[in-house]
C-alpha cells in the first residue's frame, strides 16, 4: 500500500479527508485511517492496467454505464464474475425470455454430506443488469471472447457455508406471500455485485438518516438517481461512475464486521479470479488494455496481494473439485424470486426494470441484446445501421490514472428533480383502478389523496419528487383498509403497477432432452404447454387410441412433478384398471423449473422414474411398505415385470430385517392389492409374492405376542397383522406354513390394553378356541361391571378393528354397541358417549362403513316397525322338534318349492349318480331319511363333531336318536329342509 500512497491523483481529496477527520475526532485516530484507506482503495483500482468495471446487481445505472462503456471501448476480452463452469450455457440465453437463471444442479453428491443433496446453484439474469449487457456484447460481437473467472459451482459448496444457515425471514415471508418467489427453490444464489453493508449498525444509520425504510430504497435514492442522471442532471461520466462505485465498495468492505469465514471466502474468490485472468493473459498474450473486468464493486476494492495483473503469483492454489457430477441448465426466474433469494425489498427489481426503460429513453443509450432474444423486438435494417454507426471505432486508451472526480461529485449538491405531476397523477389514477378491481371501495377522492400524500411524504423526506417508494407508502395510507378484500393488498398492487412480477421462460431449444421429449410426446393433445397457466386436456382413448401414450406420460408426470403440474380431473389408474376417458389440468409452463430439473436425472421420464423407485426402495430409511409401494408404482406406471420382481425380492430382505409393526397396515393393503392384481392378470403368481406371503406369515406370527403387549404398537397395527395372517392363511398353508404357529402366537398373547383384549377375543373366535356365545357372555359381563363400563368404548374400538381380520363378527359388534345403548342408564351413557364417538372416529374411521352396513341389515328400515321389532340376539330359541309351518297352514315352503321345479332336483340327482325317481308324496319320509343317514355316516359324524355330540351309532336302528334329537333341536330349519329333500328323493 505504500506505493498507492505515493500517487498524487487524489492528493487534494486526501488532504480534505485528513482535515475532516481532525475536525471530527480532534486528532489522528482510526477515523483518519478509514477515510484515507477508502481513497487508497479507489486510487489502486483506478490505476490498474486491466480496466475494472464495478457493478451492482440489477442496477439500471450499472447497466446503462456498461452499455455506454462497451460501445466506447470495444474490448476484445470480457472477464465476468460468474461461475466458470456455467460458460457453455450463456449462448442458450437467446432462446429464453428473461429473466432466467443459469443453474448448476447435483442430485447425487460425492465429497459432500449426503444430507446436503440435492445441491443447486443459480445465477439469475435480467435484461436490466450489467452482466447481461456484457454477455450480449461478447456473444454477438465477432472477435470478442467472454471468459468467466469466478469459482466453480463445486467450490461454492466447498468454500461457502450459506447452505447451512437458516433461511432469511424476509425471504420466507415473501416466498409465502408471492407464489412466484419460489421459482429458484432451495438453490444457493450467485450474483454479480452483492453490494450491501455487512455492518448492521451502518445500514441502520444510513436508513435512519436517509429517511427510508429498507436498503433498496436507500440505494435507489442516493446511488441510482445521482449516477443514472434521473434527477434532472446528466448521467455521471465513466470515470465518475467508476470512482463512486469503488468508493462505495471500499466503504462497505472496510466497515464490515470481523466475520472471518465470510471474509476468507471473499478473499479466496478474489484470488481465484485474478489467478484465472493472469493465466488467460499469459496463455493468449492479450494486452490488458484491450480487456474489461466486470465484477461487483465489493470485489473491485480488493486488498489481496494477488490483486492486479502485476499482483503476486504462486501464493494461491485452487483446490480440486470433488467427484460430484454436476448438471447445467436454464430455469425460469422472476422478479419476486430474485427479491426473495437475495433479501431485496418486494418490488425493487420491478422498479429497477421500469427505471431501466426510462433511462434508455432519457440517455438514448442503445442497449445490447442477444440476436433472436425471445421477447425482444426485431431491429429493422435502418436501426441496425444506426446501431453500427453509433458503435463506431474503439475509443483511444484512457490515461493510466484518471483525474480525481470524487471531490467534485461529493461536493456537488444534489440536483432536486422537478415534480412530474403528469407521471404522479397517472400513478394515482392507475392504483385506484387496480384497487377497484381488487375489491377495494376506492374512488376519485382516493386518487387525489394519494397524489397529495405522495408529495407530502417526499417533502418530509427532503425530496422534491416522490419516488415509487413514497408513492407506495401514500397508496397504502390512503387506500388500505382493515381487511384486504381480495388476494392482494395495496402494496402488492403498487408493485404490479410499477412493472409487475415479470416471469421468464426457457425456450424449447434450451430445454434438456427429457423436457423436449415430454413436450414432443404430448404434442397430440394440441395444447400450448410451454405457456404459464392451466390448460385443460380431454383424452378420449376410445375414439383416439393414440392418446393412450399421452395418458401414460401424464400419469408418470403426476408421480414425478409437484402437485398441480399434472392434476387428473376425471379418470384414475389402479392395478388392473385403465380409464377410457380422462380429463387433466396441466400447468407444465408454471412448473417448468421442476420439469427441467428432471432432465438432470435422466434422458427420459421412464428412466428417472425407475431411478427414483430404486432410490426409494434401496434407501437407508426404506421400509417394507415403501418397497411394496415401489413395486406397485413400477407395475402401474412402467409396466415393468422385471423391475417389479427385483423390488419384490428386495422387499423380502427388508421384511426380514424389520423388528417393528409400524408399517403393518400399509403392508396389508398393498399385498392384498398386488395379490388381487396378479390373480386376475397372471396365469401364476410371481415367485417373490409367494415367498413374501410365506415369510410374512412366519414373521408376523413371531411378532404377534410382543405386539399385543407393546404399548407403542397401536390396535390398528396389531389388527393389520391379524388381517395379514387370517386373509393370507389359505395361501400360506398351501405353501407349507403351519397353522399351529399362529395358534401358539395367539395363545401366548396376554394384552393389558382393553382394545387389544377385545382384538384377541376376536382372533380366538376366528381360530375356534372361543365360541360366539362365550364372546357375547364376556361383553355382557363388561356392561354388568361398573368398574369396567368407563373403559367399554376402548373394548368397542378393539371390536371395530377386529372387523379387519374377522369381518364375520360385524353382527356381534352391532350387538355389543346396541346392548350398551339399551342397558346403560343416561347418567352413565351421556358422559360416556363423546368418548365412544371420538374413540371410533380416531381409531377406526375406515372400518365404520362396514359396521354401519351391518347395522342397516339388522335394524328395521322404517321407524314405525322399530317399536315392535325384536333384536335377533333376543329372539327365543325354537323348541326341539318344532316345525315352522307356513302362516297359511300349508306345507313347508321347501316341500312345496321342490315339486314346482323338479328339473333342478333331477339335475342334482344325476350329478350325484342317483336315479331321478320321485317318491310317493303320501308316503313317510322318515325311512328315507334314516336310509340316507346310514348310507353316508361320514357326513353325520362331521356334523356331530362340530356340534360336540358323541360318535356312537345305535345297533337296532339306522338312525341315532341322540344325535338326531340334537340336530333337529338346535337346527330346526336344517331339519325341515332335509325332510323336504328326503320326501322327494
Amino acid at each position: 500500500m505504500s506505493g498507492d500512497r505515493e500517487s498524487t491523483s487524489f492528493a487534494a481529496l486526501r488532504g480534505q479527508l485528513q482535515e475532516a477527520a481532525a475536525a471530527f475526532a480532534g486528532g489522528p485516530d482510526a477515523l483518519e485511517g478509514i477515510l484515507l484507506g477508502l481513497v487508497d482503495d479507489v486510487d489502486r483500482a483506478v490505476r490498474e492496467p486491466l480496466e475494472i468495471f464495478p457493478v451492482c446487481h440489477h442496477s439500471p445505472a450499472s447497466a446503462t454505464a456498461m452499455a455506454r462503456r462497451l460501445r466506447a471501448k470495444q474490448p476484445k476480452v470480457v472477464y465476468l464474475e460468474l461461475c466458470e463452469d456455467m460458460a457453455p450455457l450463456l449462448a442458450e440465453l437467446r432462446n429464453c425470455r428473461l429473466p432466467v437463471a443459469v443453474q448448476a444442479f447435483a442430485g447425487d453428491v460425492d465429497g459432500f454430506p449426503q444430507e446436503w443433496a440435492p445441491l443447486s446453484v443459480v445465477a439469475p439474469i435480467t435484461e436490466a443488469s450489467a452482466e447481461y449487457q456484457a454477455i450480449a456484447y461478447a456473444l454477438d460481437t465477432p472477435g470478442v471472447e467472454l471468459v468467466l473467472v469466478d469459482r466453480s459451482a463445486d467450490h461454492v459448496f466447498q468454500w461457502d457455508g450459506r447452505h447451512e444457515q437458516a433461511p432469511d425471514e424476509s425471504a420466507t415471508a415473501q416466498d409465502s406471500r408471492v407464489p412466484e418467489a419460489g421459482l429458484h427453490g432451495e438453490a444457493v444464489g450467485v450474483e454479480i455485485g452483492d453490494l450491501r453493508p455487512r455492518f448492521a449498525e451502518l445500514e441502520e444509520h444510513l436508513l435512519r438518516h436517509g429517511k427510508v425504510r429498507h436498503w433498496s430504497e436507500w440505494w435507489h435514492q442516493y446511488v441510482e438517481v445521482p449516477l443514472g442522471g434521473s434527477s434532472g442532471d446528466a448521467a455521471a461520466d465513466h470515470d465518475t461512475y467508476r470512482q463512486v462505485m469503488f468508493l462505495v465498495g471500499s466503504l462497505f468492505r472496510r466497515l464490515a464486521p470481523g466475520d472471518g469465514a465470510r471474509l476468507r471466502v471473499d478473499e479466496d474468490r478474489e484470488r481465484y479470479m485474478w489467478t484465472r485472468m493472469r493465466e488467460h493473459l499469459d496463455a493468449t498474450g492479450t494486452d490488458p488494455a484491450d480487456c474489461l473486468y466486470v465484477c461487483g464493486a465489493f470485489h473491485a476494492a480488493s486488498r489481496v496481494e494477488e490483486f492486479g495483473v502485476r499482483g503476486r503469483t504462486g501464493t494461491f492454489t485452487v483446490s480440486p473439485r470433488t467427484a460430484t457430477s454436476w448438471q447445467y441448465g436454464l430455469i425460469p426466474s422472476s422478479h419476486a424470486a430474485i427479491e426473495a433469494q437475495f433479501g431485496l425489498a418486494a418490488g425493487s427489481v420491478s422498479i429497477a426494470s421500469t427505471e431501466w426503460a426510462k433511462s434508455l429513453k432519457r440517455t438514448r443509450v442503445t442497449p445490447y441484446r442477444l440476436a433472436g432474444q425471445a421477447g425482444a423486438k426485431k431491429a429493422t435494417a435502418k436501426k441496425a445501421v444506426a446501431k453500427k454507426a453509433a458503435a463506431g471505432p474503439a475509443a483511444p486508451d484512457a490515461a493510466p490514472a484518471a483525474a480525481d472526480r470524487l471531490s467534485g461529485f461529493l461536493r456537488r449538491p444534489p440536483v432536486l428533480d422537478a415534480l412530474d405531476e403528469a407521471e404522479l397523477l397517472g400513478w394515482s389514477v392507475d392504483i385506484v383502478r387496480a384497487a377497484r378491481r381488487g375489491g377495494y371501495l376506492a374512488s376519485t377522492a382516493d386518487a387525489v389523496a394519494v397524489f397529495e400524500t405522495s408529495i407530502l411524504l417526499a417533502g418530509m423526506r427532503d425530496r422534491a419528487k416522490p419516488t415509487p417508494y413514497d408513492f407506495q407508502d401514500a397508496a397504502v395510507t390512503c387506500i388500505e383498509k382493515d381487511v384486504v378484500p381480495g388476494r392482494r393488498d395495496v402494496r402488492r398492487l403498487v408493485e404490479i403497477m410499477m412493472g409487475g412480477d415479470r416471469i421468464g421462460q426457457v425456450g424449447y431449444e434450451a430445454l434438456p432432452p427429457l423436457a423436449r421429449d415430454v413436450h414432443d410426446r404430448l404434442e397430440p393433445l394440441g395444447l400450448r404447454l410451454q405457456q404459464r397457466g392451466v390448460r385443460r386436456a380431454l383424452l378420449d382413448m376410445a375414439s383416439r387410441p393414440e392418446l393412450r401414450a399421452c395418458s401414460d406420460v401424464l400419469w408418470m408426470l403426476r408421480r414425478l412433478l409437484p402437485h398441480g403440474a399434472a392434476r387428473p380431473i376425471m379418470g384414475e389408474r389402479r392395478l388392473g384398471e385403465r380409464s377410457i376417458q380422462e380429463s387433466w389440468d396441466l400447468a407444465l409452463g408454471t412448473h417448468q423449473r421442476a420439469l427441467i430439473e428432471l432432465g438432470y436425472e435422466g434422458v427420459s421420464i421412464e428412466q428417472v422414474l425407475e431411478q427414483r423407485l430404486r432410490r426409494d426402495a434401496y434407501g437407508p430409511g426404506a421400509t417394507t411398505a415403501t418397497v411394496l409401494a415401489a413395486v406397485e408404482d413400477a407395475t402401474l406406471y412402467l409396466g415393468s415385470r422385471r423391475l417389479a420382481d427385483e423390488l419384490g425380492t428386495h422387499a423380502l430382505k427388508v421384511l426380514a430385517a424389520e423388528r417393528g409393526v409400524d408399517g403393518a397396515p400399509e403392508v396389508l393393503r398393498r399385498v392384498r392389492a398386488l395379490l388381487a392384481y396378479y390373480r386376475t392378470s397372471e396365469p401364476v403368481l410371481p415367485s417373490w409374492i409367494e415367498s413374501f406371503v410365506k415369510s410374512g406369515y412366519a414373521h408376523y406370527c413371531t411378532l404377534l405376542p410382543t405386539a399385543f403387549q407393546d404399548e407403542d404398537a397401536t390396535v390398528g397395527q396389531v389388527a393389520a397383522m391379524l388381517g395379514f395372517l387370517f386373509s393370507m392363511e389359505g395361501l400360506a398353508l398351501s405353501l407349507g406354513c403351519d397353522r399351529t404357529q399362529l395358534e401358539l402366537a395367539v395363545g401366548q398373547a396376554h394384552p393389558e390394553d382393553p382394545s387389544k383384549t377385545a382384538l384377541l377375543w376376536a382372533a380366538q373366535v376366528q381360530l375356534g378356541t372361543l365360541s360366539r356365545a362365550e364372546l357375547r357372555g364376556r361383553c355382557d359381563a363388561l356392561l354388568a361391571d361398573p368398574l369396567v363400563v368407563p373403559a367399554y368404548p376402548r373394548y368397542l374400538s378393539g371390536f371395530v378393528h377386529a372387523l379387519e381380520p374377522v369381518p364375520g363378527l360385524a353382527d356381534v359388534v352391532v350387538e355389543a354397541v346396541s346392548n350398551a345403548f339399551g342397558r346403560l342408564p343416561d347418567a352413565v351413557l351421556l358422559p360416556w358417549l363423546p368418548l365412544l364417538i371420538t374413540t371410533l372416529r380416531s381409531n377406526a374411521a375406515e372400518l365404520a362403513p362396514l359396521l354401519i352396513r351391518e347395522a342397516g341389515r339388522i335394524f328395521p328400515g322404517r321407524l314405525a316397525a322399530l317399536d315392535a321389532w325384536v333384536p335377533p340376539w333376543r329372539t327365543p330359541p325354537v323348541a326341539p322338534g318344532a316345525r315352522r309351518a307356513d302362516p297359511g297352514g300349508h306345507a313347508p315352503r321347501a316341500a312345496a318349492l321342490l315339486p314346482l321345479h323338479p328339473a333342478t332336483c333331477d339335475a342334482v340327482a344325476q350329478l350325484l349318480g342317483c336315479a331321478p325317481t320321485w317318491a310317493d308324496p303320501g308316503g313317510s319320509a322318515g325311512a328315507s331319511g334314516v336310509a340316507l343317514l346310514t348310507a353316508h355316516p361320514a357326513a353325520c359324524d362331521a356334523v356331530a363333531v362340530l356340534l360336540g355330540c358323541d360318535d356312537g351309532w345305535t345297533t337296532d336302528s339306522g338312525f341315532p336318536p341322540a344325535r338326531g334329537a340334537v340336530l333337529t333341536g338346535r337346527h330346526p330349519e336344517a331339519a325341515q329342509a332335509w325332510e323336504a329333500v328326503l320326501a322327494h328323493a
Side-chain angles (χ1 to χ4, degrees):
M1 297 298 293
S2 60
D4 297 338
R5 293 292 180 90
E6 296 175 358
S7 175
T8 59
S9 301
F10 296 90
L13 182 58
R14 286 194 181 93
Q16 296 173 8
L17 293 178
Q18 285 178 338
E19 295 176 1
F24 280 104
D29 62 351
L31 177 60
E32 179 181 352
I34 292 176
L35 294 178
L36 295 181
L38 298 179
V39 182
D40 293 339
D41 292 342
V42 175
D43 192 11
R44 185 187 188 191
V46 168
R47 292 188 295 108
E48 172 59 35
L50 195 159
E51 181 179 337
I52 303 173
F53 195 94
V55 300
C56 177
H57 198 46
H58 306 303
S59 168
S62 296
T64 304
M66 172 63 71
R68 186 188 294 112
R69 183 56 180 168
L70 289 173
R71 295 197 181 280
K73 182 180 177 64
Q74 296 288 305
K76 297 179 181 179
V77 178
V78 177
Y79 297 113
L80 184 62
E81 179 195 338
L82 196 63
C83 294
E84 58 184 3
D85 49 346
M86 293 181 177
L89 289 174
L90 299 182
E92 296 294 339
L93 289 175
R94 67 179 76 252
N95 298 320
C96 305
R97 184 173 68 245
L98 301 181
V100 296
V102 186
Q103 182 184 40
F105 183 89
D108 298 327
V109 297
D110 187 356
F112 299 105
Q114 290 294 329
E115 57 268 16
W116 290 6
L119 305 179
S120 179
V121 179
V122 298
I125 297 176
T126 63
E127 191 172 353
S129 57
E131 64 266 31
Y132 175 73
Q133 295 299 308
I135 292 171
Y137 163 79
L139 294 182
D140 285 351
T141 304
V144 177
E145 184 179 4
L146 177 65
V147 182
L148 305 186
V149 295
D150 200 1
R151 56 183 175 168
S152 66
D154 195 273
H155 288 94
V156 170
F157 287 92
Q158 286 189 36
W159 296 356
D160 204 345
R162 284 181 294 177
H163 52 279
E164 298 177 347
Q165 299 176 0
D168 184 61
E169 294 181 0
S170 60
T172 304
Q174 294 181 30
D175 188 273
S176 61
R177 184 170 57 89
V178 184
E180 290 77 10
L183 288 179
H184 294 173
E186 300 297 329
V188 173
V190 176
E191 61 176 351
I192 299 178
D194 183 10
L195 203 57
R196 184 167 185 168
R198 298 183 181 177
F199 192 32
E201 287 76 4
L202 173 60
E203 181 172 349
E204 181 183 357
H205 176 82
L206 294 175
L207 297 183
R208 183 175 66 255
H209 288 273
K211 299 180 180 179
V212 294
R213 292 174 296 125
H214 43 71
W215 173 250
S216 300
E217 185 177 359
W218 187 93
W219 181 266
H220 170 84
Q221 180 65 27
Y222 295 99
V223 181
E224 283 290 330
V225 172
L227 292 180
S230 59
S231 58
D233 193 10
D237 59 87
H238 173 62
D239 292 334
T240 303
Y241 168 83
R242 291 181 67 209
Q243 294 178 21
V244 171
M245 294 295 287
F246 287 146
L247 179 65
V248 175
S250 177
L251 174 66
F252 293 161
R253 189 184 188 98
R254 287 185 175 271
L255 295 183
D259 187 353
R262 187 170 185 182
L263 181 61
R264 176 185 55 80
V265 170
D266 291 331
E267 292 180 347
D268 285 348
R269 290 182 62 188
E270 292 156 5
R271 295 186 180 98
Y272 192 103
M273 290 188 283
W274 282 110
T275 301
R276 289 292 189 234
M277 285 186 284
R278 282 197 297 268
E279 291 175 352
H280 182 267
L281 290 173
D282 295 340
T284 60
T286 307
D287 186 359
D290 296 331
C291 304
L292 187 68
Y293 172 34
V294 182
C295 67
F298 188 89
H299 299 291
S302 174
R303 300 193 302 274
V304 297
E305 295 180 352
E306 292 80 4
F307 179 87
V309 295
R310 300 185 183 92
R312 188 175 178 181
T313 59
T315 58
F316 178 71
T317 303
V318 179
S319 60
R321 300 185 186 181
T322 64
T324 300
S325 178
W326 289 89
Q327 305 289 334
Y328 301 91
L330 297 170
I331 62 173
S333 183
S334 67
H335 293 170
I338 297 172
E339 294 159 1
Q341 187 165 20
F342 299 106
L344 303 176
S348 59
V349 179
S350 299
I351 293 174
S353 178
T354 304
E355 293 296 326
W356 159 253
K358 293 180 181 179
S359 177
L360 294 180
K361 292 181 180 179
R362 182 177 57 257
T363 60
R364 302 191 177 213
V365 173
T366 304
Y368 286 95
R369 283 192 179 93
L370 288 171
Q373 180 72 62
K377 297 181 180 179
K378 295 183 180 179
T380 61
K382 184 176 180 180
K383 290 184 178 180
V385 173
K387 179 179 178 180
K388 185 175 180 180
D397 293 340
D404 178 14
R405 301 297 181 89
L406 274 177
S407 300
F409 183 83
L410 296 176
R411 285 182 176 181
R412 184 180 60 191
V415 178
L416 299 180
D417 197 359
L419 174 62
D420 190 347
E421 294 187 0
E423 180 186 49
L424 182 58
L425 186 60
W427 287 356
S428 303
V429 174
D430 290 341
I431 188 57
V432 169
R433 183 184 298 113
R436 282 180 175 176
R437 289 196 298 265
Y440 289 90
L441 298 177
S443 63
T444 306
D446 293 316
V448 176
V450 172
F451 181 86
E452 298 294 342
T453 306
S454 301
I455 299 175
L456 177 62
L457 289 177
M460 295 172 60
R461 297 166 179 174
D462 297 332
R463 294 191 281 267
K465 178 183 178 181
T467 65
Y469 301 97
D470 298 327
F471 173 76
Q472 187 179 54
D473 293 340
V476 172
T477 302
C478 300
I479 300 177
E480 188 71 80
K481 306 300 188 295
D482 294 337
V483 179
V484 178
R487 293 185 304 160
R488 302 183 177 97
D489 56 9
V490 174
R491 190 174 302 279
R492 178 62 181 156
L493 293 177
V494 174
E495 295 170 9
I496 295 174
M497 189 194 72
M498 287 294 177
D501 184 18
R502 186 173 302 172
I503 302 174
Q505 184 185 45
V506 180
Y508 176 84
E509 295 78 6
L511 291 174
L514 180 144
R516 292 200 299 268
D517 178 63
V518 168
H519 285 286
D520 293 341
R521 295 167 68 176
L522 296 179
E523 185 67 24
L525 297 179
L527 301 176
R528 298 180 179 178
L529 298 178
Q530 286 191 326
Q531 294 183 354
R532 292 182 60 85
V534 179
R535 300 289 184 271
R536 176 62 60 88
L538 302 176
L539 286 73
D540 186 3
M541 277 79 76
S543 59
R544 297 181 59 187
E546 67 273 11
L547 294 182
R548 294 188 181 275
C550 297
S551 175
D552 296 337
V553 173
L554 293 177
W555 283 108
M556 284 187 284
L557 290 178
R558 179 178 179 268
R559 172 65 172 75
L560 295 172
L561 293 180
H563 176 73
R567 185 167 62 93
I569 304 300
M570 181 184 69
E572 60 182 356
R573 175 160 292 193
R574 298 180 181 177
L575 290 174
E577 297 182 9
R578 294 293 186 273
S579 302
I580 61 174
Q581 289 183 338
E582 294 176 354
S583 176
W584 290 80
D585 275 352
L586 304 178
L588 299 184
T590 305
H591 296 82
Q592 193 179 46
R593 178 184 67 87
L595 182 61
I596 291 173
E597 290 183 350
L598 284 183
Y600 301 151
E601 303 182 41
V603 295
S604 66
I605 53 177
E606 288 84 0
Q607 179 186 2
V608 173
L609 181 56
E610 181 173 348
Q611 291 176 356
R612 289 196 179 183
L613 293 178
R614 291 181 185 274
R615 184 174 59 195
D616 295 342
Y618 290 94
T623 62
T624 307
T626 304
V627 181
L628 291 178
V631 174
E632 185 175 343
D633 289 344
T635 305
L636 196 61
Y637 300 116
L638 297 176
S640 175
R641 178 65 182 272
R642 170 192 56 82
L643 180 60
D645 291 347
E646 176 189 342
L647 297 179
T649 304
H650 179 64
L652 293 172
K653 302 178 182 178
V654 178
L655 178 66
E658 286 186 350
R659 293 297 177 264
V661 296
D662 295 341
E666 187 71 11
V667 170
L668 174 62
R669 185 180 67 84
R670 295 194 179 277
V671 168
R672 281 179 175 175
L674 290 170
L675 268 176
Y677 169 74
Y678 287 129
R679 281 171 172 168
T680 56
S681 61
E682 301 286 344
V684 294
L685 291 177
S687 58
W688 74 266
I689 200 168
E690 292 183 348
S691 301
F692 187 89
V693 172
K694 183 178 179 180
S695 301
Y697 189 86
H699 178 75
Y700 284 131
C701 283
T702 304
L703 297 180
L704 190 61
T706 305
F708 266 111
Q709 298 177 353
D710 188 3
E711 296 181 356
D712 295 332
T714 64
V715 63
Q717 295 169 356
V718 180
M721 295 174 62
L722 290 173
F724 184 95
L725 295 172
F726 288 147
S727 60
M728 309 291 172
E729 186 177 13
L731 179 59
L733 295 181
S734 66
L735 296 173
C737 294
D738 189 359
R739 195 170 192 262
T740 307
Q741 188 177 6
L742 175 58
E743 294 175 350
L744 291 175
V746 173
Q748 293 173 359
H750 302 287
E752 298 179 359
D753 184 73
S755 57
K756 293 181 181 179
T757 301
L759 188 61
L760 177 62
W761 293 347
Q764 292 173 348
V765 171
Q766 179 70 12
L767 293 175
T769 58
L770 183 69
S771 65
R772 299 168 73 94
E774 293 174 342
L775 179 61
R776 288 186 170 94
R778 292 185 180 183
C779 293
D780 293 338
L782 293 176
L783 287 175
D785 190 347
L787 299 178
V788 182
V789 167
Y792 195 72
R794 302 180 64 183
Y795 284 95
L796 289 181
S797 176
F799 283 129
V800 175
H801 277 98
L803 298 180
E804 177 74 47
V806 191
L809 284 181
D811 57 337
V812 178
V813 179
V814 172
E815 177 182 346
V817 176
S818 302
N819 287 337
F821 281 90
R823 294 176 54 180
L824 294 178
D826 293 344
V828 177
L829 183 61
L830 292 180
W832 172 78
L833 189 59
L835 178 61
L836 172 64
I837 296 175
T838 55
T839 302
L840 294 180
R841 178 178 295 178
S842 60
N843 298 334
E846 66 278 1
L847 298 172
L850 178 61
L851 189 63
I852 294 173
R853 285 196 299 269
E854 182 64 22
R857 186 187 66 84
I858 294 177
F859 285 86
R862 297 183 178 276
L863 185 60
L866 186 61
D867 295 335
W869 176 73
V870 178
W873 53 87
R874 293 186 181 178
T875 304
V878 180
R883 297 183 59 180
R884 182 179 301 173
D886 191 45
H890 303 288
R893 297 176 60 186
L897 183 62
L898 292 176
L900 295 178
H901 303 280
T904 303
C905 286
D906 293 342
V908 174
Q910 293 179 1
L911 182 62
L912 297 176
C914 302
T917 56
W918 289 80
D920 185 9
S924 175
S928 305
V930 173
L932 182 61
L933 291 176
T934 55
H936 302 281
C940 197
D941 289 338
V943 176
V945 172
L946 180 62
L947 298 177
C949 303
D950 57 353
D951 295 335
W953 285 85
T954 57
T955 57
D956 55 347
S957 174
F959 185 80
R963 185 177 305 156
V966 172
L967 290 177
T968 56
R970 300 189 62 172
H971 301 280
E973 296 85 354
Q976 294 174 10
W978 277 110
E979 290 175 2
V981 172
L982 295 176
H984 298 81

